[in-house]
Amino acid sequence: MANKIITFTGPKEGVGKTSIALNAAVAYAHLENKNVIIIPMDHLIRYEHDKMLAIQNTPSVVDILRVLGRDSISSAGMLLKGKIPFSQWGVGVLPLAKKRQDLLKLSPDIINGLLSRLSQNFDIFIDVDPYYPMQFFSFDISDLIFWVTNANANSLNATANVFRDINEMHFPLSRFEAVVNLYDMPGSLPPRDVEKFFKQLGKEILAFMPWEDELPALFNQNRILITENPDCQWIKILKIILTRIIELQPLEKSWSSSMSQVEFTHGSDLLWKQVERSSDFFVDTPNQPQAKKVNVELPPWWEELKMKVHSDVVSLLETERIKVSDDPTQNQEVRKRVDSIINSLLQKENQYPLTRDQRTRFISELIDEILGLGPLEELMRDAAVTEIMVNSPDKIYIERAGKLVKTKYRFRDDDQIIQVIKRIVAPLGRRIDESVPLVDARLKDGSRVNAIIPPLAVSGPTLTIRRFSQKPFTDKDLVSKGSLSTDMVDFIKLCVLLRKDVIISGGTGTGKTTFLNMCSSYIPEDERIITVEDTAELKLQQDHWVRLESRPPNIEGKGEVTIRDLVKNCLRMRPDRIIVGEVRGSEALDMLQAMNTGHEGSLATIHANSARDALTRLETMCLMAGAELPIWALREMIASAVHVIVQLTRFSDGTRKVTSITEITGRDENKILTHEIYKYVQTSVDENGVVHGYFTATGEPPKFYPDFKTHGMDVPIEMFWTEEQKKQRSQ
């Protein structure tokens, strides 16, 4: 049979927990014919346990580790077997330290590791004071906790406070047993009132232990009651506690077997402040590794329990008339209440035993389902995730650092996906159902959402969320990421200041919006900027900025406002600059006309795989406007309106780079003339899939280079030279 870890604690000192722990340990060791080690989790470093048991030369955890070193944790159980002194009753004591300053050299990972080894050979009784970190750490590692209190107002008030914390931290109440010690002392509250109090906490009282005249005197004489008077009434009631311990089935614990590091298996890293170990204590102090977060194993009935509790929580919310706000920031109090409701419901589900880690995850997942976006909530909290793609309930992909990765998260079924989609679009005044099976929307944080459901989505509901950094990337950020060179940044900045019309071209997910944000940062503060977008994503830093966003038709097919409508309207708003978030239709013609009629310095993005493709797409989109223009006239309009095309590319390793900066130099009959100024040259892909290459100028400055001098800009012509040209000039 596996060995047990039992904790004895209470709301305050003086309730009698140490007397119960000592007497129970002696009785248990005798009845089970097993050795028991008492671990006093005592931050005051008292010596009462070994004196009561008449044990001398008791080593401490600090003594053991000072002699054997930290690596001895992995084999401490074997090393200590036969070396810890035991009393004549089969009970030993292993204090944490013998000096208070030595206690600071310990941490949960050390004690966890030692206890994991000791528990392979001994049953362990922990006697812990009501000191927050140690007490809750003991709760985490114990199979059973005896909460020992007296029947007075101070003890019960302190009990209520701790049990509130126990509930908030999702400890299962089934692991706690309430023991009322010395219940018949003068001035104590009646047992009926004490029982009522514990019922309000969700607990029944295991035992009422009476006042025993011999206890104080024996304690002062370092003698144990059960060895002196085993037939007294107090010991008879103690047998209830012993029976509970003997019948207990120990929990399965996931202790780390690592030689160099012990993992926190119960989340105790949150409960005990990490401190540096002194160099005379551990050899490996300077490079002490941090504890790992252990994955929580889920029982097979996890989803069954979740559906059951989910239904109960929704019913209680309706009963209590708790309204869930569409704004997540307004739901903090609701989250606390739902957390409390779920925790209370779980305390009643004794047929579903959950560890605290499992309970914490269960409650978090269920709150996310009830108040948020279900399994997507955790992904939405991860700032490194730039895109979330839900293909089916069990196929959720993300983009992180430019790479697509399949996640471990999953929805319960298609219906849950549709419910999440509805939760996203409803606050935005949109709907999605069979009559409107396709929707584009924008979340409050600026994320762009696209959802499509059957009958259009044959394989089931599909959801895509494009996320954007809350803080726009600067040119320094993009240079440090290797997206472009410093010379390329300087050239783009000069083009914006020179009021050149710039088109940013690239495929899906190449970073066009990010780059457009960077370009817009160069626009002077004294200019009026109007942005036109299908879904508002741009985050300009200027104060004089007006945002326009298109609107889809309503359910009756009316009320639509297109990008083209907005481009036409913004011309009446006295703009200095017009920025079109994405040109993809007939609005291209109106944008080109604006660029040609006094609105120079405008910016826009377009989907295309090269600068030449971008020009072809512009032609096609202008023809979509229905203007009956000859092709030569259309190309003349494009050549005179667009000055620079910046091409972005996403490579196989997930990096995004500016692969070309091309100048439009004019028209030769029916052909638009271009001149590449900068480019990226890929040289190789290494064994890790990382793309290598370099940025270079092509050797010739732009045709509008004289404009820099005309506008008082001192631009060295060398920034457009190749490395070879620079070397030749230096020679």
Side-chain angles (χ1 to χ4, degrees):
M1 181 181 293
N3 293 308
K4 304 167 184 177
I5 299 180
I6 311 296
T7 284
F8 296 84
T9 190
K12 55 194 293 290
E13 294 182 15
V15 294
K17 63 177 178 56
T18 298
S19 294
I20 293 176
L22 280 165
N23 282 273
V26 170
Y28 179 80
H30 172 73
L31 291 172
E32 294 293 292
N33 193 27
K34 298 175 68 176
N35 284 338
V36 176
I37 295 180
I38 296 179
I39 308 286
M41 291 279 187
D42 180 9
H43 62 290
L44 297 178
I45 315 300
R46 290 162 291 199
Y47 299 96
E48 53 197 13
H49 297 83
D50 47 1
K51 289 181 179 178
M52 296 289 291
L53 294 166
I55 302 175
Q56 297 181 349
N57 302 319
T58 303
S60 69
V61 173
V62 170
D63 294 334
I64 293 166
L65 295 174
R66 181 177 288 118
V67 173
L68 301 177
R70 178 181 170 83
D71 288 345
S72 66
I73 289 176
S74 60
S75 56
M78 188 60 65
L79 288 170
L80 293 176
K81 194 172 184 180
K83 295 186 178 180
I84 291 182
F86 283 85
S87 69
Q88 59 181 309
W89 303 290
V91 180
V93 180
L94 184 61
L96 299 181
K98 293 182 178 177
K99 296 180 180 179
R100 294 190 193 184
Q101 58 266 36
D102 283 347
L103 197 64
L104 296 177
K105 301 171 182 177
L106 298 177
S107 65
D109 58 335
I110 295 174
I111 299 174
N112 250 349
L114 189 61
L115 294 183
S116 71
R117 298 303 166 185
L118 290 175
S119 65
Q120 295 176 9
N121 300 291
F122 309 103
D123 287 294
I124 296 175
F125 283 21
I126 297 174
D127 181 1
V128 60
D129 287 337
Y131 177 69
Y132 168 70
M134 290 182 177
Q135 190 178 50
F136 277 62
F137 168 77
S138 302
F139 294 168
D140 253 343
I141 62 176
S142 296
D143 300 300
L144 185 64
I145 300 106
F146 287 102
W147 183 264
V148 182
T149 182
N150 298 142
N152 57 61
N154 286 338
S155 295
L156 296 182
N157 287 337
T159 292
N161 290 334
V162 176
F163 269 70
R164 182 195 63 237
D165 294 336
I166 287 171
N167 269 301
E168 288 181 356
M169 300 185 72
H170 308 141
F171 287 102
L173 287 181
S174 59
R175 207 185 296 175
F176 289 79
E177 293 291 359
V179 176
V180 181
N181 190 34
L182 312 179
Y183 76 93
D184 52 355
M185 285 180 62
S188 294
L189 296 172
R192 183 184 303 171
D193 291 348
V194 180
E195 285 181 328
K196 182 179 178 181
F197 167 82
F198 272 97
K199 281 184 178 179
Q200 291 175 341
L201 299 180
K203 291 301 301 179
E204 299 284 343
I205 295 174
L206 178 69
F208 281 95
M209 304 192 70
W211 169 261
E212 183 57 59
D213 292 333
E214 294 179 80
L215 267 175
L218 290 174
F219 203 89
N220 288 332
Q221 298 168 22
N222 295 327
R223 293 156 64 190
I224 301 174
L225 181 60
I226 196 169
T227 64
E228 303 292 330
N229 186 3
D231 296 324
C232 69
Q233 186 63 26
W234 193 87
I235 296 298
K236 289 179 180 178
I237 302 299
L238 182 70
K239 292 178 182 178
I240 299 174
I241 295 174
L242 288 170
T243 300
R244 181 72 176 89
I245 297 173
I246 292 169
E247 293 177 350
L248 174 69
Q249 293 296 320
L251 300 170
E252 290 187 9
K253 301 181 181 65
S254 175
W255 304 101
S256 169
S257 59
S258 170
M259 294 285 288
S260 61
Q261 176 178 350
V262 178
E263 297 177 350
F264 293 114
T265 58
H266 298 280
S268 50
D269 54 321
L270 300 176
L271 304 177
W272 201 317
K273 182 180 179 182
Q274 291 289 319
V275 293
E276 288 190 12
R277 287 68 160 178
S278 60
S279 56
D280 68 330
F281 201 90
F282 302 115
V283 178
D284 58 349
T285 296
N287 298 312
Q288 185 67 33
Q290 293 297 315
K292 296 178 182 178
K293 184 178 179 180
V294 178
N295 290 328
V296 179
E297 293 186 7
L298 305 182
W301 34 260
W302 183 266
E303 290 299 329
E304 174 190 342
L305 178 60
K306 190 186 290 186
M307 292 180 68
K308 181 179 185 300
V309 176
H310 187 290
S311 176
D312 293 340
V313 172
V314 171
S315 297
L316 285 169
L317 290 177
E318 292 175 352
T319 301
E320 297 184 18
R321 297 183 179 180
I322 296 176
K323 185 178 180 181
V324 180
S325 171
D326 294 330
D327 184 355
T329 60
Q330 304 297 319
N331 279 335
Q332 293 306 312
E333 290 302 319
V334 177
R335 288 186 73 91
K336 290 180 181 179
R337 178 58 186 144
V338 174
D339 185 306
S340 176
I341 290 173
I342 298 172
N343 195 56
S344 298
L345 291 171
L346 285 179
Q347 301 290 7
K348 301 174 184 177
E349 300 290 346
N350 294 326
Q351 71 274 30
Y352 298 106
L354 293 172
T355 66
R356 185 167 76 92
D357 287 332
Q358 289 172 336
R359 293 166 68 86
T360 300
R361 175 168 170 177
F362 183 95
I363 292 173
S364 176
E365 286 186 5
L366 200 50
I367 289 177
D368 286 344
E369 286 186 18
I370 295 171
L371 302 181
L373 306 182
L376 303 186
E377 276 293 321
E378 192 167 343
L379 296 174
M380 292 293 289
R381 288 190 285 264
D382 186 350
V385 174
T386 54
E387 193 135 14
I388 301 171
M389 293 148 279
V390 180
N391 295 349
S392 64
D394 60 344
K395 292 180 181 177
I396 301 176
Y397 291 83
I398 61 170
E399 183 186 71
R400 183 187 278 119
K403 300 284 285 186
L404 292 181
V405 181
K406 185 178 180 180
T407 71
K408 63 181 179 180
Y409 303 99
R410 58 169 295 151
F411 285 92
R412 189 165 47 249
D413 49 32
D414 286 350
D415 288 341
Q416 189 185 7
I417 299 177
I418 293 176
Q419 289 304 315
V420 166
I421 294 172
K422 289 181 177 179
R423 181 167 291 153
I424 291 172
V425 303
L428 308 176
R430 310 285 179 85
R431 61 177 286 186
I432 190 165
D433 50 35
E434 288 189 4
S435 62
V436 187
L438 174 65
V439 67
D440 275 307
R442 173 173 48 85
L443 298 180
K444 293 183 181 297
D445 66 355
S447 300
R448 187 172 67 198
V449 177
N450 176 270
I452 183 168
I453 65 173
L456 298 185
V458 179
S459 58
T462 302
L463 174 65
T464 307
I465 302 176
R466 169 75 61 84
R467 305 182 66 218
F468 299 94
S469 173
Q470 293 301 307
K471 182 182 178 182
F473 285 108
T474 64
D475 48 14
K476 291 181 180 179
D477 295 329
L478 296 181
V479 170
S480 66
K481 289 176 178 291
S483 297
L484 73 170
S485 68
T486 304
D487 281 348
M488 296 164 82
V489 166
D490 291 341
F491 177 68
I492 293 296
K493 182 176 182 179
L494 290 167
C495 289
V496 174
L497 293 175
L498 203 58
R499 299 185 67 87
K500 296 298 180 183
D501 295 312
V502 179
I503 299 291
I504 299 165
S505 168
T508 301
T510 53
K512 296 186 296 297
T513 303
T514 298
F515 197 84
L516 182 57
N517 265 320
M518 184 204 76
C519 293
S520 68
S521 67
Y522 303 134
I523 299 175
E525 285 284 348
D526 60 351
E527 296 187 19
R528 177 176 171 85
I529 308 168
I530 300 180
T531 59
V532 179
E533 300 176 83
D534 192 34
T535 303
E537 300 168 353
L538 293 172
K539 295 182 179 179
L540 275 62
Q541 306 303 306
Q542 289 85 346
D543 185 58
H544 201 165
W545 168 37
V546 178
R547 308 175 73 183
L548 303 181
E549 184 180 42
S550 65
R551 185 177 69 187
N554 59 22
I555 300 172
E556 290 78 23
K558 300 178 181 179
E560 180 181 18
V561 179
T562 66
I563 292 287
R564 187 176 189 185
D565 296 330
L566 295 177
V567 171
K568 288 179 179 179
N569 185 76
C570 74
L571 296 175
R572 306 184 184 99
M573 298 173 68
R574 200 266 177 210
D576 289 308
R577 308 261 187 163
I578 299 172
I579 299 178
V580 182
E582 183 179 337
V583 182
R584 55 185 176 188
S586 57
E587 67 273 5
L589 180 62
D590 301 282
M591 183 190 71
L592 291 175
Q593 288 175 337
M595 290 176 172
N596 273 317
T597 55
H599 298 93
E600 296 88 356
S602 296
L603 304 167
T605 70
I606 189 171
H607 272 82
N609 294 324
S610 68
R612 180 59 62 182
D613 287 346
L615 295 173
T616 303
R617 286 233 354 163
L618 276 175
E619 291 178 13
T620 304
M621 289 187 288
C622 288
L623 293 173
M624 292 168 59
E628 296 181 0
L629 293 173
I631 194 66
W632 67 266
L634 185 56
R635 289 177 179 171
E636 179 67 29
M637 179 185 293
I638 294 174
S640 59
V642 180
H643 301 120
V644 176
I645 297 178
V646 180
Q647 184 64 40
L648 305 180
T649 303
R650 184 174 65 177
F651 288 84
S652 57
D653 62 352
T655 57
R656 299 170 171 88
K657 300 181 187 297
V658 176
T659 50
S660 175
I661 299 179
T662 303
E663 175 192 14
I664 309 301
T665 58
R667 182 179 66 87
D668 182 11
E669 296 182 354
N670 280 340
K671 183 179 181 181
I672 298 176
L673 301 178
T674 62
H675 165 223
E676 191 171 46
I677 302 171
Y678 291 97
K679 64 181 178 179
Y680 175 75
V681 179
Q682 180 179 337
T683 56
S684 65
V685 178
D686 65 22
E687 62 276 6
N688 298 318
V690 178
V691 173
H692 294 276
Y694 60 92
F695 297 103
T696 180
T698 59
E700 292 186 19
K703 302 302 180 186
F704 57 79
Y705 179 75
D707 293 351
F708 292 130
K709 188 174 182 180
T710 303
H711 287 77
M713 300 178 183
D714 185 15
V715 180
I717 198 168
E718 292 83 3
M719 70 182 290
F720 303 106
W721 288 355
T722 64
E723 290 300 320
E724 186 177 345
Q725 287 175 314
K726 292 177 182 178
K727 287 179 182 179
Q728 290 175 352
R729 184 63 179 267
S730 63
Q731 293 174 354

